[in-house]
Amino acid sequence: MQSQDVAQRPAPPSPTGLVVDVEQAEAALVEHYPRLVRLAYLVLPPRLGRSRRVLTAHALTQRALPRTRTPAPVTPAQNGDGRDGDPGYALVRLQVLRTALEAGLPLTAKAWPKRSQLPPLLPHVWGLKLFPRSGGAEELTLDQRLSTLSGPARAAYALRGLERLTDDGVCEVLAAAGVTDPEGAVLEAGGVPAQYGLLDSPEFDPCSLQARPTDLMRRRQHLRAALAAGAALLVCGALLGLPGEGWGPEGAAAPPYARNPAAQAALDPAKLTRIPPGAWRSSARTDFSVWPARGESTGDKALLRRSLAVWARPGGTVQVSATPGTLSGGPAGPPQLLYAGTVDAARVVILYDGLRIARYAEPKDGTQGAALDFARVDGAGRAEAGAVVLGRSDGNVRYLTAPWVKRAGERDLMKPDSGALALPLTDGVTAPLASPALRSGPCTSWNVLQLADGTRTRLLTDLGELVPARLTTGRPGSPREVSGAAALRTWQPFACSLGTVRSAGVRSVNAWAFNTQPLPDASGSAAWVCTRAETWRGGGARV
């Protein structure tokens, strides 16, 4: 297909033997411009609306000027008004009629749209609606009847009324314009009363116009949306155009996405928050915010830089996990360093940003296979901030304990009468103990971590997450630690049921023996016990 505004192939010789120069066609277009625009306006489909029909009619008429000398078409007999026998007028009229009929064709996915089917580029008016002056009731009725006709039928009616052509002449012009059934179009146009004098009224004059503003509120909304989109585009372009070189090797981190002071501070190892070892003794709070930085690699800037960079933008090979309800985005500012060191066969960094614990781990011999884990800990107190998982291997788990923890032990929850086995502590790191979260097969034991801080003893259990869950007994409104023999016996039957809440973001699990009654055969008594798992996100408790 070929646009109307590109160079056309040489046309076959004209039947009349006449050739129209560009100057001759321009003179005819300028002289008869109002009539040609009116013809285009009448032929265009009414669904475009009056304002767009006006602009489109002017655009089609202005583009009707040929680019080179063109053979003149056959001109039907006309009533004399200066246009009879004018090959230039016949040429531009035919072009206006052809493009106006093309503009009424529906767009399809199988073919490229023609230029006449698209909104005009010129002329264009911003902020105003232009439309012909309103006529009387007769003009309105005629316009409504013309809107029910097809495009070729409207063209036939306009050629009869404006050009005063006979039916044969109308058929000749329509056939030259590409209409496949000119006789059918003439017959369809005959269904509308022949009120041709009304076509000269201002109702159908696209050169005598009224101006009104467009929708002011919508225009204001569109302007704001355009400004917002432009600002977003500028920001995205600035970010994409930033250099790719970072602060240094960042291991498994993906390419950088930002260079602003806040992002640089959050990823700078020198800006990490480090708490002095004894700060917790005089602090009003006893939670993760007063943990000191521990581990033999707290001065390893390369390791810390990699952990911060992977947290901000983990690469495709990094294994990322998060407890339910925990965001995994980068830190808003410099986080607090809790630990950096070697645990078994991995280098581990533990960070805290006030809401989350983040654990970065990488192999000793590289960064391939790095892992990043998140756990939500907002609102944690002394009881919940007792320990963090450092690593798991060979079915065992190691913990980093709070600075106020004095002793650690291992206890089997299914054997309440057995004592706890002592766990050595080295700079707050426990010796490995068997993890029930890593065990497969039948449940024959459930090992838990027992911590003592000098005043209380608490039990914590590994549920496959970064922060172990606290175990309690008693009424849900006033739970007590599982420290006495009665509390341990209460938990004995329900130890294996803890496996049903693995990896669910559990903060604590409470067992409440709320009623005891004798058995019917007087063989003893039975206890009614409710176990309830509370999550860090507040909702989703399991009972």
Side-chain angles (χ1 to χ4, degrees), residues 462-508:
D462 182 18
L463 294 180
E465 300 174 355
L466 222 83
V467 180
R470 175 192 176 198
L471 299 180
T472 60
T473 60
R475 288 182 174 274
S478 55
R480 301 185 302 273
E481 304 297 340
V482 183
S483 56
L488 290 171
R489 282 192 291 271
T490 300
W491 261 108
Q492 178 186 6
F494 311 106
C496 290
S497 67
L498 290 169
T500 61
V501 290
R502 284 192 181 105
S503 303
V506 174
R507 178 174 185 163
S508 64

Side-chain angles (χ1 to χ4, degrees), residues 76-227:
Q78 299 169 323
N79 293 332
D81 57 358
R83 294 175 287 117
D84 282 347
D86 185 351
Y89 176 78
L91 178 64
V92 294
R93 181 185 65 183
L94 181 62
Q95 181 65 12
V96 168
L97 189 61
R98 180 183 294 118
T99 54
L101 289 171
E102 289 176 350
L105 298 176
L107 295 174
T108 60
K110 297 181 180 180
W112 287 99
K114 298 184 178 181
R115 185 176 180 182
S116 56
Q117 295 177 276
L118 301 175
L121 297 177
L122 292 174
H124 204 87
V125 179
W126 289 86
L128 288 177
K129 289 183 177 180
L130 302 177
F131 47 88
R133 297 180 179 275
S134 300
E138 294 180 348
E139 288 85 347
L140 179 60
T141 302
L142 177 59
D143 186 46
Q144 292 175 346
R145 289 179 175 175
L146 291 177
S147 65
T148 63
L149 301 178
S150 63
R154 286 194 303 273
Y157 193 92
L159 290 173
R160 276 177 172 176
L162 292 179
E163 301 296 300
R164 302 295 190 265
L165 296 182
T166 63
D167 289 350
D168 292 339
V170 170
C171 290
E172 291 181 20
V173 175
L174 292 180
V179 176
T180 57
D181 186 12
E183 292 81 3
V186 172
L187 185 61
E188 183 183 354
V192 177
Q195 298 174 305
Y196 301 133
L198 299 178
L199 296 181
D200 294 324
S201 67
E203 176 78 25
F204 306 104
D205 185 6
C207 292
S208 178
L209 302 173
Q210 297 183 92
R212 293 292 185 272
T214 57
D215 190 331
L216 300 179
M217 292 299 295
R218 180 176 296 180
R219 190 170 68 191
R220 183 178 298 175
Q221 294 171 356
H222 288 176
L223 179 60
R224 291 175 179 172
L227 292 176

Side-chain angles (χ1 to χ4, degrees), residues 281-295:
R281 301 181 185 275
S282 58
S283 174
R285 300 174 57 182
T286 49
D287 54 17
F288 292 109
S289 65
V290 294
W291 279 31
R294 288 171 284 182

